[in-house]
Amino acid sequence: FVSAGVGEIVSNLVGQIFPVGSHLMGSIAYVLGMFIFTIIMGNAFAAFTVITAGIGIPFVLTQGADPVIAGALAMTAGYCGTLLTPMAGNFNILPVALLEIKDEYKVIKAQAPVALVLLVVHIVLMYFWAF
């Protein structure tokens, strides 16, 4: 995705929505980007390179954020997305099959409140700790 220029496309789209220079908006964009792209990809590792190249570097790191804190929080924000995607079959679909649960999205539904609360927590932590 990075080689194909997806990071640059994401950066251009985010640049049209969020103002450059705002630490809060950069934090929100980076965390939400990781969250949403992980849901799409089903894997936070795949999302991390694209979103860091497209959002993390231009909207967070170049604004003076600590790369260690911002990177760690971005990666764990991606795991919030993993909790909500059927693409992460080993975490969300396999337990349903093994436990023979009738509702195939029961595990995701149970994890959703925790993922959404942690998403907000990640935004707050990135804003206060990374900058």
Side-chain angles (χ1 to χ4, degrees), residues 4 6 11 18 29 33 37 39 47 51 53 98 101 113 120-121:
V6 175
S11 181
F18 293 103
F37 208 69
I39 290 173
I51 299 302
L98 290 174
I101 300 171
V120 174
V121 169

Side-chain angles (χ1 to χ4, degrees), residues 48-86:
F48 185 73
T49 55
V50 174
I51 299 302
T52 298
I55 299 173
I57 293 172
F59 294 95
V60 177
L61 299 180
T62 59
Q63 304 301 321
D66 183 328
V68 174
I69 295 172
L73 287 170
M75 182 59 83
T76 54
Y79 295 136
C80 294
T82 303
L83 294 174
L84 299 180
T85 181

